Amino acid sequence: MIRKTSLWERLGFDIAYGYSEGRKVLILSALFVLLLITVGVAITFGAYSISIVDVYGIVLAHLSPFGDLSSVTKLHNTIVWELRIPRVLLAVAVGTALATAGAVFQGCFRNPLVEPYILGISSGAAFGAAMGIVFSSFFLSIQLSAFIFGSMAVAMAYFLARVRKETPIVTLILAGVTIGSIFSAMVSILKYIATDAALREIVFWLMGGFYYATWNDVHLLVPIIIPSFLIT
């Protein structure tokens, strides 16, 4: 029996287990287009009502080499270009980073149900951020402190799970849960000794949000996230 060759196979894509590479490309392309549409719609919504024409007029004025910002209302320019767009772009960048990290975790543990609390990363980062907030005079950056302690939690879990020059997955998970519990307890201690202002900042940091997003944050994160995403 002669099997017909599909268009995707003729284009060089492999077909495996009934799910072709071409279909994956189509799905990813459709999701990317949907993401662009979502971004385009998101910048038109906000507490302050601005018409869609004005919103995209401001965007074109900034992006076009022939754009004229003199005709743009200063308040509208601040709301759209300085507040809405950085928040939306930073949300996209953070979502990309989380998706990339999740894919790496799934590949390492070969389990689609993994989450950032397995190795104590989230708890370690939370403790680092809380330390940066409570003892701000000793830490230059809350974000840097969170990164250092998150990395430290992973290293501690790895060395704790190391047995006879091997690192069993089950042991690594148990070590990660243990380290995460320890850091969570220390976060509770910092909440107890923190001032009211520091406690509120810790709570807001743990909840997360993009209300303080600026173009500097976008310029800092995007050059790191995009290469990491492409490499992964």
Side-chain angles (χ1 to χ4, degrees):
M1 182 176 178
I2 300 176
R3 185 176 68 87
K4 291 183 179 180
T5 304
S6 67
L7 174 62
W8 293 111
E9 288 179 300
R10 290 197 293 269
L11 291 176
F13 292 102
D14 296 327
I15 295 181
Y17 305 106
Y19 198 73
S20 68
E21 293 294 329
R23 187 176 299 177
K24 292 179 183 178
V25 172
L26 286 176
I27 293 174
L28 290 176
S29 300
L31 290 175
F32 181 71
V33 172
L34 181 60
L35 175 63
L36 294 179
I37 295 173
T38 304
V39 170
V41 172
I43 63 175
T44 64
F45 285 91
Y48 191 90
S49 179
I50 303 176
S51 68
I52 296 177
V53 175
D54 290 339
V55 169
Y56 285 104
I58 294 170
V59 174
L60 291 176
H62 280 277
L63 299 181
S64 173
F66 306 103
D68 182 17
L69 290 174
S70 61
S71 60
V72 176
T73 305
K74 196 170 184 179
L75 177 61
H76 289 183
N77 181 68
T78 300
I79 292 173
V80 174
W81 189 255
E82 300 297 335
L83 295 178
R84 291 185 185 177
I85 294 181
R87 292 176 182 179
V88 172
L89 293 181
L90 195 63
V92 173
V94 171
T96 303
L98 292 175
T100 303
V104 171
F105 261 44
Q106 289 176 347
C108 291
F109 290 95
R110 298 179 183 179
N111 189 327
L113 299 179
V114 295
E115 43 90 22
Y117 290 93
I118 284 184
L119 293 183
I121 296 177
S122 294
S123 300
F127 175 74
M131 287 284 288
I133 293 171
V134 176
F135 305 105
S136 57
S137 58
F138 293 97
F139 293 90
L140 298 177
S141 170
I142 297 174
Q143 291 80 3
L144 181 60
S145 176
F147 176 79
I148 290 174
F149 280 94
S151 302
M152 188 184 299
V154 176
M156 292 171 64
Y158 176 79
F159 286 111
L160 184 61
R162 192 79 171 163
V163 178
R164 299 194 185 104
K165 297 182 178 181
E166 294 182 355
T167 310
I169 296 296
V170 175
T171 307
L172 182 61
I173 292 174
L174 292 175
V177 172
T178 302
I179 297 299
S181 300
I182 294 173
F183 276 116
S184 294
M186 290 192 290
V187 170
S188 298
I189 294 174
L190 288 177
K191 287 181 178 180
Y192 181 77
I193 66 175
T195 62
D196 291 340
L199 179 59
R200 284 195 296 270
E201 191 172 353
I202 291 173
V203 172
F204 278 118
W205 195 95
L206 294 177
M207 291 175 62
F210 298 101
Y211 30 81
Y212 294 133
T214 63
W215 279 109
N216 290 332
D217 298 321
V218 176
H219 295 155
L220 176 65
L221 292 180
V222 169
I224 299 173
I225 292 173
I226 291 180
S228 301
F229 173 75
L230 294 176
I231 291 171
T232 303

